[in-house]
Amino acid sequence: MLKNYFKIAIAVLRRRKFFTFISLFGISFTLTILLVLTAFIDKVVGDNYPDRKRDRSLYINRLEQKGKDMSMSGALSYYFLSHYAGSMKTPVKMTIFSGFGGTNTYVNNKKIAVDYKYTDANYWDILEYDFLEGKAFTKQQVDNAEKVAVISEDIKKAYFGDVASVVGKFIEADNVKYRVIGVVKDIPITSYMTYSQIYLPYTVSKTDYKDKGYGGGYSAILLANSSADVQKMHDEYEQLVKRIPITTKGISVMYSHANSYLASYVDTGREDQSGVILVITVLGTFVFLFMLLPTLNLVNINITRIMERSSEIGVRKAFGASSKTLVYQFIVENIILTLLGGIIGIVLAFIAIQILNNANLIPNLVLSVNLMVLFIGLIICLVFGLISGVYPAWRMSKLNVVTALKAQ
């Protein structure tokens, strides 16, 4: 039966080439955009290099302070994180690190823009960077405020050129010379919590990291012994924040949370607005509207195709074909059409991703179509086929035999 439906569907598609082209174009174009978007989201929030312990990690990256006439929200101070979060019992390890900042350096009178951040020694234990040469700085080097640096692969090439090793050489940034002790694999800027081109000990920072104010430029990662302890670690931090004394005049309440990676990544900076809900709402609305237009277009095209086949439907009904059989046939035909469009869309998505990767619009961000993305693509095709086929099939089942035969 399905084989006959497939033959009929192919014959119908070949007979009406213009309608077939419009239908396939709408399906494949929509699917291509959705697949590329999905691949981008998957890379941005799904790629766990070098943060491979997310299942037992929580992230602290925001402190919001509010009063009657004022409100402040941003990253935290080194003092707040080391003094308060550092007193927690559940985490087996904690790292504190700054956001990345930009500066310029010069090589042979050529200006190079570089991004740098400050970290502690625990940073290299919690985050698993791939070292291409050398090693990370130690707690002893951090405590001694040694001017040492771990650099990324791309800044090595930009600053030193194509040389075999740069460990022991000096790199200058923000008018300070640092001795290179390690080179790590590149990270795209979209992984903003771990991205940098130069990693430095926080003790060489030009800002006063000992300042006892609560606001600053630092974040932290708490590491639990196992994923089973993550909730306990979260609850401990929630209780801890409630006990922290408020020292700023005009501030009456403070909010800070130890969140999962995704919740921290999309944090809006506002306690009354969930970043996760906001992102889901925006993406859901975009996908719904983006799919709605081609779906409505397909529905109209399918209704037109039905009207053109009314005589065929009338004859089949006259010879005993039930409405259920005809509806089933038409839905199968529509699913075949959408699957063909889906295959074309997947091929186009592969091509589009290769073009985007070669264009290097975001350095070190390499998109790929993985199995999950392909699965989502097939689901989208089936949704397309069912949504755009059900209503026209229902219209077809209501056709009167005499009316259908007269239509010819």
Side-chain angles (χ1 to χ4, degrees):
M1 185 68 73
L2 284 175
K3 185 178 179 180
N4 290 333
Y5 288 165
F6 181 80
K7 289 181 177 179
I8 294 173
I10 296 299
V12 171
L13 296 180
R14 294 178 64 181
R15 188 172 61 195
R16 303 295 297 173
K17 292 184 175 60
F18 179 72
F19 283 161
T20 301
F21 170 77
I22 295 296
S23 300
L24 291 178
F25 177 80
I27 296 169
S28 59
F29 178 75
T30 303
L31 189 61
T32 300
I33 298 299
L34 292 178
L35 284 176
V36 173
L37 177 64
T38 308
F40 178 77
I41 294 173
D42 176 64
K43 180 65 180 180
V44 169
V45 299
D47 185 12
N48 62 0
Y49 170 75
D51 192 6
R52 298 187 174 107
K53 300 172 184 171
R54 288 180 186 171
D55 62 322
R56 54 191 183 104
S57 298
L58 291 177
Y59 305 77
I60 307 171
N61 59 1
R62 177 174 65 88
L63 173 68
E64 184 173 359
Q65 304 178 79
K66 299 181 73 173
K68 183 179 179 181
D69 301 316
M70 60 185 298
S71 178
M72 298 181 292
S73 181
L76 304 94
S77 67
Y78 182 86
Y79 170 80
F80 184 101
L81 292 168
S82 61
H83 186 71
Y84 293 113
S87 67
M88 294 174 62
K89 305 299 182 185
T90 309
V92 293
K93 192 161 286 190
M94 180 183 78
T95 178
I96 302 174
F97 53 93
S98 72
F100 66 85
T103 187
N104 294 323
T105 187
Y106 294 85
V107 180
N108 299 326
N109 296 321
K110 179 184 177 183
K111 185 173 74 175
I112 302 175
V114 297
D115 295 321
Y116 64 96
K117 73 188 308 174
Y118 300 106
T119 72
D120 57 17
N122 284 343
Y123 186 82
W124 307 105
D125 296 329
I126 294 178
L127 299 167
E128 299 178 345
Y129 283 79
D130 292 340
F131 274 81
L132 305 178
E133 57 179 290
K135 58 185 179 181
F137 40 77
T138 64
K139 183 177 185 302
Q140 187 68 40
Q141 289 174 310
V142 174
D143 292 342
N144 294 340
E146 292 187 26
K147 290 183 171 56
V148 292
V150 173
I151 66 175
S152 66
E153 189 179 7
D154 58 353
I155 203 64
K156 169 194 170 183
K157 186 175 182 180
Y159 193 91
F160 296 102
D162 190 15
V163 296
S165 175
V166 295
V167 172
K169 296 180 181 293
F170 286 84
I171 185 171
E172 184 174 323
D174 205 15
N175 298 318
V176 178
K177 286 188 175 181
Y178 300 94
R179 180 168 56 88
V180 177
I181 61 172
V183 180
V184 294
K185 181 182 171 184
D186 291 327
I187 296 176
I189 197 171
T190 49
S191 300
Y192 71 92
M193 281 193 276
T194 53
Y195 162 80
S196 189
Q197 294 174 310
I198 302 179
Y199 301 85
L200 305 168
Y202 71 89
T203 47
V204 303
S205 169
K206 292 182 178 180
T207 59
D208 184 10
Y209 66 88
K210 297 179 181 178
D211 185 275
K212 293 189 176 180
Y214 290 172
Y218 288 87
S219 301
I221 299 177
L222 306 175
L223 183 68
N225 188 47
S226 68
S227 56
D229 288 339
V230 170
Q231 185 60 47
K232 181 181 177 182
M233 191 162 65
H234 171 271
D235 295 342
E236 184 182 358
Y237 186 73
E238 292 291 314
Q239 294 302 316
L240 172 72
V241 172
K242 293 177 181 177
R243 298 194 301 270
I244 296 176
I246 297 175
T247 58
T248 303
K249 187 177 180 180
I251 297 298
S252 58
V253 62
M254 290 193 308
Y255 301 102
S256 181
H257 305 286
N259 290 321
S260 65
Y261 178 81
L262 178 61
S264 295
Y265 190 91
V266 298
D267 191 283
T268 62
R270 291 175 52 182
E271 186 67 16
D272 58 349
Q273 188 176 63
S274 169
V276 175
I277 293 177
L278 179 65
V279 168
I280 291 176
T281 302
V282 171
L283 287 178
T285 303
F286 172 78
V287 171
F288 174 75
L289 293 177
F290 199 71
M291 289 183 63
L292 180 63
L293 292 178
T295 301
L296 292 176
N297 181 47
L298 277 176
V299 169
N300 288 328
I301 291 176
N302 288 336
I303 290 175
T304 303
R305 289 168 53 204
I306 286 176
M307 293 302 105
E308 290 185 337
R309 298 171 63 186
S310 57
S311 60
E312 171 195 336
I313 295 168
V315 170
R316 293 196 61 186
K317 278 194 168 185
F319 279 89
S322 66
S323 296
K324 182 180 177 181
T325 302
L326 295 173
V327 168
Y328 180 63
Q329 174 192 336
F330 195 79
I331 290 178
V332 170
E333 287 181 16
N334 215 51
I335 290 177
I336 292 171
L337 174 67
T338 51
L339 285 177
L340 287 174
I343 293 171
I344 297 173
I346 290 172
V347 173
L348 291 178
F350 271 103
I351 295 173
I353 285 174
Q354 290 303 315
I355 293 174
L356 291 174
N357 287 339
N358 292 332
N360 201 27
L361 298 177
I362 301 177
N364 305 319
L365 184 73
V366 180
L367 302 180
S368 61
V369 176
N370 60 28
L371 294 178
M372 178 58 72
V373 174
L374 284 176
F375 176 74
I376 292 173
L378 291 175
I379 294 297
I380 291 173
C381 288
L382 291 175
V383 171
F384 259 118
L386 289 174
I387 293 177
S388 62
V390 169
Y391 177 69
W394 177 79
R395 284 279 302 272
M396 177 186 68
S397 68
K398 297 299 180 183
L399 281 177
N400 181 274
V401 176
V402 177
T403 304
L405 290 172
K406 284 183 177 179
Q408 186 63 30

